[in-house]
Amino acid sequence: MFREEDFEQHARICANPEVTRFLGEGRPLNRFEAWRSMAMILGHWQLRGFGPWAVEERATGNLVGRIGFFQPDGWPGFELGWVLGQEFWGKGYASEGARRALDYGFTEMDRDHVISLIHPDNTASIKVAERLGEQVEGQTELFGHEVLIYGIRATGV
């Protein structure tokens, strides 16, 4: 769960244009927007009982980013997503964390289908989705941008 002391690192991640270019409106967030983003994550947990987890680097305690589930009202499905600070890219954290979250979603949350919404130019996230076994199931529009719907079903469903 995100804590108030995660805010400075969360705000730094959200202010990086390389991190945010494929998220939401495709632009960096100012401090107020980053606060609102973190509050939305915590609110999602309160309303839905699930949401993205804050991911910390074990060795340093630094906030790596977030990985977890998202399904606000009107969303196209039960989504598994990941956002990492740029300095943590390429270290396997997204794949490892998303794999553990996906397993949790299938086993502990009893979900039979999980999607990931990914901008078609976000090759790094596409590779993570494919490592998870997700395949393109379609596309939709979010925040004025076309995104691919990657999805996977629980084994045996």
Side-chain angles (χ1 to χ4, degrees):
M1 192 73 70
F2 275 88
R3 303 172 307 236
E4 186 173 357
E5 54 265 27
D6 294 324
F7 177 68
E8 289 302 325
Q9 292 176 65
H10 174 73
R12 184 181 41 75
I13 291 168
C14 291
N16 184 325
E18 286 301 308
V19 172
T20 59
R21 69 184 170 138
F22 297 125
L23 302 175
E25 297 172 7
R27 62 173 181 76
L29 303 183
N30 63 36
R31 286 182 64 81
F32 177 75
E33 292 166 328
W35 180 266
R36 195 167 58 191
S37 163
M38 197 166 103
M40 183 273 307
I41 291 168
L42 292 167
H44 195 282
W45 274 97
Q46 288 297 310
L47 294 170
R48 298 280 191 198
F50 61 86
W53 289 282
V55 178
E56 291 182 351
E57 189 174 44
R58 186 174 291 160
T60 64
N62 288 331
L63 182 70
V64 170
R66 65 180 187 256
I67 298 174
F69 301 109
F70 194 65
Q71 192 177 17
D73 185 58
W75 214 244
F78 182 71
E79 182 187 11
L80 170 59
W82 47 87
V83 178
L84 304 182
Q86 188 174 5
E87 66 270 31
F88 300 106
W89 293 357
K91 296 184 178 188
Y93 293 145
S95 295
E96 179 183 349
R99 165 62 58 208
R100 292 193 66 187
L102 183 63
D103 290 346
Y104 185 86
F106 287 149
T107 60
E108 301 301 317
M109 299 177 73
D110 201 29
R111 298 294 178 138
D112 63 352
H113 184 242
V114 175
I115 65 169
S116 296
L117 303 172
I118 304 173
H119 189 285
D121 294 334
N122 191 343
T123 56
S125 280
I126 288 170
K127 287 177 185 176
V128 172
E130 289 173 346
R131 280 187 208 110
L132 296 174
E134 293 185 354
Q135 297 178 347
V136 176
E137 296 180 343
Q139 63 184 41
T140 191
E141 184 178 312
L142 285 178
F143 306 104
H145 301 281
E146 287 295 317
V147 295
L148 298 171
I149 303 171
Y150 274 77
I152 187 170
R153 294 209 168 272
T155 306
V157 176

